[in-house]
Amino acid sequence: MTRNFEDAVTGVLGTARPAVSSDPDWATLERGLGVSLPDDYKRIVARYAPVQLNVHLYLHHPSTERWNLGPWMDQTVTAFARSDLTEAKCPGFPQGPLFGGPEGLIPLTSTDRGEYLFGAADTRSGHWRILACNGDEQDFYEYRMPFSEWLHHYLAGESMFGPGSAVFHPGPILFEGLPMTASEPPTTWHGPER
Protein backbone atom coordinates (compact mmCIF):
# COMPACT_ATOMS: atom_id res chain seq x y z
CA MET A 1 0.00 0.00 0.00
CA THR A 2 2.81 2.45 0.86
CA ARG A 3 4.46 1.79 -2.51
CA ASN A 4 1.21 2.59 -4.37
CA PHE A 5 0.97 6.00 -2.70
CA GLU A 6 4.65 6.60 -3.21
CA ASP A 7 4.15 5.91 -6.93
CA ALA A 8 1.12 8.24 -6.91
CA VAL A 9 3.22 11.01 -5.30
CA THR A 10 5.94 10.48 -7.90
CA GLY A 11 3.29 10.70 -10.63
CA VAL A 12 2.06 14.06 -9.29
CA LEU A 13 5.54 15.48 -8.67
CA GLY A 14 7.10 14.14 -11.84
CA THR A 15 10.75 13.63 -12.63
CA ALA A 16 13.07 14.58 -9.81
CA ARG A 17 15.49 17.45 -10.27
CA PRO A 18 17.88 16.70 -7.44
CA ALA A 19 19.91 19.68 -6.38
CA VAL A 20 22.13 17.58 -4.16
CA SER A 21 24.78 15.47 -5.81
CA SER A 22 25.62 13.29 -2.80
CA ASP A 23 23.47 10.52 -1.40
CA PRO A 24 21.71 11.29 1.87
CA ASP A 25 23.61 10.24 4.98
CA TRP A 26 20.60 8.59 6.62
CA ALA A 27 22.71 6.39 8.93
CA THR A 28 24.30 9.35 10.74
CA LEU A 29 21.01 11.22 11.01
CA GLU A 30 19.14 8.15 12.29
CA ARG A 31 21.86 7.34 14.83
CA GLY A 32 21.44 10.85 16.23
CA LEU A 33 17.66 10.46 16.35
CA GLY A 34 17.82 7.00 17.91
CA VAL A 35 15.30 5.68 15.40
CA SER A 36 15.08 4.77 11.69
CA LEU A 37 12.93 7.12 9.64
CA PRO A 38 10.13 5.77 7.41
CA ASP A 39 11.46 4.34 4.15
CA ASP A 40 8.94 6.13 1.92
CA TYR A 41 9.84 9.45 3.58
CA LYS A 42 13.55 8.87 2.92
CA ARG A 43 12.99 7.95 -0.72
CA ILE A 44 10.82 11.04 -1.40
CA VAL A 45 13.26 13.38 0.37
CA ALA A 46 16.23 11.85 -1.47
CA ARG A 47 14.48 12.36 -4.82
CA TYR A 48 13.11 15.89 -4.45
CA ALA A 49 14.61 17.82 -1.52
CA PRO A 50 15.59 20.49 -0.70
CA VAL A 51 12.44 22.08 -2.08
CA GLN A 52 9.33 24.04 -1.23
CA LEU A 53 6.17 22.58 -2.79
CA ASN A 54 3.20 24.69 -3.87
CA VAL A 55 4.48 27.80 -2.05
CA HIS A 56 4.04 26.28 1.44
CA LEU A 57 5.47 22.80 2.22
CA TYR A 58 9.22 22.41 2.88
CA LEU A 59 11.23 19.24 2.36
CA HIS A 60 14.74 19.45 3.83
CA HIS A 61 17.64 17.20 2.82
CA PRO A 62 20.18 15.57 5.16
CA SER A 63 23.18 16.26 2.90
CA THR A 64 22.93 20.00 2.37
CA GLU A 65 24.54 22.82 4.27
CA ARG A 66 21.80 25.45 4.19
CA TRP A 67 18.62 23.33 4.26
CA ASN A 68 20.00 20.43 6.28
CA LEU A 69 17.38 18.09 7.69
CA GLY A 70 19.33 17.12 10.85
CA PRO A 71 19.82 20.62 12.32
CA TRP A 72 16.26 21.58 11.32
CA MET A 73 14.94 18.53 13.18
CA ASP A 74 17.08 19.39 16.24
CA GLN A 75 15.94 23.02 16.28
CA THR A 76 12.29 22.02 15.87
CA VAL A 77 12.48 19.43 18.66
CA THR A 78 14.13 21.99 20.96
CA ALA A 79 11.56 24.68 20.19
CA PHE A 80 8.59 22.37 20.74
CA ALA A 81 10.11 20.78 23.87
CA ARG A 82 10.42 24.28 25.40
CA SER A 83 6.79 25.13 24.60
CA ASP A 84 4.10 24.74 27.21
CA LEU A 85 1.98 22.01 25.64
CA THR A 86 0.73 20.41 28.84
CA GLU A 87 -2.87 21.05 27.79
CA ALA A 88 -2.32 19.83 24.22
CA LYS A 89 -4.25 16.82 23.01
CA CYS A 90 -1.87 14.48 21.24
CA PRO A 91 -2.97 10.92 20.32
CA GLY A 92 -0.70 8.35 21.91
CA PHE A 93 0.68 10.85 24.45
CA PRO A 94 -1.86 11.11 27.28
CA GLN A 95 0.44 13.33 29.40
CA GLY A 96 1.14 15.69 26.49
CA PRO A 97 3.48 15.33 23.54
CA LEU A 98 7.13 14.33 23.90
CA PHE A 99 9.64 15.44 21.29
CA GLY A 100 12.71 13.70 19.94
CA GLY A 101 13.53 10.06 19.37
CA PRO A 102 13.19 7.29 19.91
CA GLU A 103 10.00 7.60 22.01
CA GLY A 104 8.82 11.09 21.02
CA LEU A 105 7.70 13.02 17.98
CA ILE A 106 10.21 13.47 15.15
CA PRO A 107 9.63 16.47 12.84
CA LEU A 108 9.34 15.43 9.18
CA THR A 109 8.24 18.60 7.39
CA SER A 110 6.68 22.01 7.93
CA THR A 111 5.03 24.86 6.10
CA ASP A 112 5.53 28.59 5.97
CA ARG A 113 2.10 28.83 7.64
CA GLY A 114 3.41 27.47 10.96
CA GLU A 115 2.21 23.91 10.45
CA TYR A 116 4.36 20.92 11.43
CA LEU A 117 4.22 17.25 10.56
CA PHE A 118 5.74 14.74 12.98
CA GLY A 119 6.28 11.03 12.96
CA ALA A 120 6.20 8.79 16.01
CA ALA A 121 7.80 5.36 15.78
CA ASP A 122 5.97 2.48 17.36
CA THR A 123 8.92 0.42 18.51
CA ARG A 124 6.73 -2.68 19.02
CA SER A 125 5.17 -2.80 15.54
CA GLY A 126 7.84 -0.95 13.58
CA HIS A 127 5.17 1.29 12.05
CA TRP A 128 5.10 5.07 12.14
CA ARG A 129 2.20 7.26 13.20
CA ILE A 130 1.80 10.64 11.51
CA LEU A 131 0.76 13.58 13.70
CA ALA A 132 0.26 17.15 12.56
CA CYS A 133 -0.26 20.46 14.28
CA ASN A 134 -1.01 24.01 13.35
CA GLY A 135 1.30 26.49 15.06
CA ASP A 136 -1.71 28.55 16.17
CA GLU A 137 -3.29 25.67 18.11
CA GLN A 138 -1.96 23.27 20.73
CA ASP A 139 -3.70 20.11 19.57
CA PHE A 140 -2.18 17.43 17.36
CA TYR A 141 -4.11 15.43 14.77
CA GLU A 142 -3.27 11.85 13.90
CA TYR A 143 -3.34 10.55 10.34
CA ARG A 144 -3.23 6.76 10.26
CA MET A 145 -1.29 6.41 7.04
CA PRO A 146 2.28 6.34 5.74
CA PHE A 147 4.07 9.60 4.88
CA SER A 148 3.63 9.09 1.12
CA GLU A 149 -0.13 8.73 1.53
CA TRP A 150 -0.25 11.82 3.76
CA LEU A 151 1.74 13.80 1.15
CA HIS A 152 -0.52 12.62 -1.67
CA HIS A 153 -3.61 13.83 0.21
CA TYR A 154 -1.89 17.14 1.07
CA LEU A 155 -0.96 17.79 -2.56
CA ALA A 156 -4.56 16.99 -3.56
CA GLY A 157 -5.68 19.89 -1.36
CA GLU A 158 -7.08 17.96 1.60
CA SER A 159 -6.93 19.17 5.23
CA MET A 160 -3.82 17.37 6.45
CA PHE A 161 -2.73 19.63 9.33
CA GLY A 162 -6.05 19.45 11.14
CA PRO A 163 -9.58 20.60 10.32
CA GLY A 164 -9.80 23.53 7.91
CA SER A 165 -6.12 23.42 6.95
CA ALA A 166 -6.60 22.57 3.26
CA VAL A 167 -4.64 24.52 0.67
CA PHE A 168 -5.22 23.52 -2.94
CA HIS A 169 -3.17 24.85 -5.82
CA PRO A 170 -4.78 23.93 -9.14
CA GLY A 171 -2.62 22.76 -11.99
CA PRO A 172 0.84 21.23 -11.81
CA ILE A 173 2.79 21.21 -8.55
CA LEU A 174 5.00 24.30 -8.21
CA PHE A 175 8.55 23.54 -7.07
CA GLU A 176 10.91 26.11 -5.62
CA GLY A 177 14.38 24.66 -5.31
CA LEU A 178 15.90 25.92 -2.08
CA PRO A 179 19.29 27.57 -2.65
CA MET A 180 22.35 25.81 -1.30
CA THR A 181 24.18 29.09 -0.56
CA ALA A 182 23.10 32.62 0.35
CA SER A 183 24.19 33.93 -3.06
CA GLU A 184 22.47 31.24 -5.12
CA PRO A 185 19.09 32.29 -6.55
CA PRO A 186 16.10 29.99 -6.05
CA THR A 187 14.95 28.01 -9.06
CA THR A 188 11.35 27.20 -9.91
CA TRP A 189 9.73 24.58 -12.12
CA HIS A 190 6.44 22.71 -12.42
CA GLY A 191 5.51 19.08 -12.18
CA PRO A 192 3.40 17.35 -14.84
CA GLU A 193 -0.15 18.42 -15.66
CA ARG A 194 -2.76 16.96 -13.35
Side-chain angles (χ1 to χ4, degrees):
M1 182 87 133
T2 300
R3 203 51 148 155
N4 292 341
F5 276 103
E6 194 174 332
D7 291 343
V9 166
T10 301
V12 170
L13 294 179
T15 304
R17 292 188 185 189
V20 180
S21 59
S22 62
D23 289 332
D25 185 2
W26 294 115
T28 300
L29 177 61
E30 291 171 330
R31 248 190 327 275
L33 293 171
V35 65
S36 294
L37 293 165
D39 290 335
D40 62 331
Y41 173 76
K42 293 190 291 189
R43 286 188 293 265
I44 290 169
V45 164
R47 275 190 92 172
Y48 296 102
V51 70
Q52 187 176 19
L53 299 173
N54 277 349
V55 186
H56 297 298
L57 187 74
Y58 291 102
L59 292 177
H60 293 71
H61 193 284
S63 298
T64 62
E65 185 177 320
R66 191 158 182 221
W67 295 97
N68 193 293
L69 184 60
W72 173 80
M73 286 179 160
D74 290 341
Q75 292 164 3
T76 303
V77 164
T78 299
F80 272 86
R82 289 181 179 162
S83 300
D84 180 14
L85 296 171
T86 53
E87 301 297 318
K89 293 177 186 156
C90 187
F93 295 89
Q95 306 302 318
L98 300 173
F99 298 94
E103 302 295 325
L105 298 172
I106 304 292
L108 300 176
T109 188
S110 65
T111 72
D112 63 354
R113 302 181 335 155
E115 300 156 324
Y116 288 85
L117 186 74
F118 294 90
D122 182 338
T123 53
R124 288 181 292 269
S125 72
H127 294 128
W128 278 76
R129 299 181 311 118
I130 301 293
L131 294 109
C133 71
N134 177 337
D136 295 334
E137 298 177 15
Q138 282 203 353
D139 293 340
F140 289 73
Y141 300 93
E142 183 173 15
Y143 296 90
R144 294 179 179 262
M145 59 187 66
F147 174 78
S148 54
E149 183 175 354
W150 179 91
L151 182 58
H152 187 264
H153 289 290
Y154 175 83
L155 294 172
E158 296 179 33
S159 290
M160 299 308 291
F161 285 104
S165 64
V167 178
F168 180 68
H169 293 271
I173 302 298
L174 173 63
F175 289 81
E176 184 175 346
L178 300 172
M180 300 294 109
T181 66
S183 62
E184 182 182 344
T187 57
T188 59
W189 68 94
H190 290 88
E193 289 295 330
R194 58 179 178 146

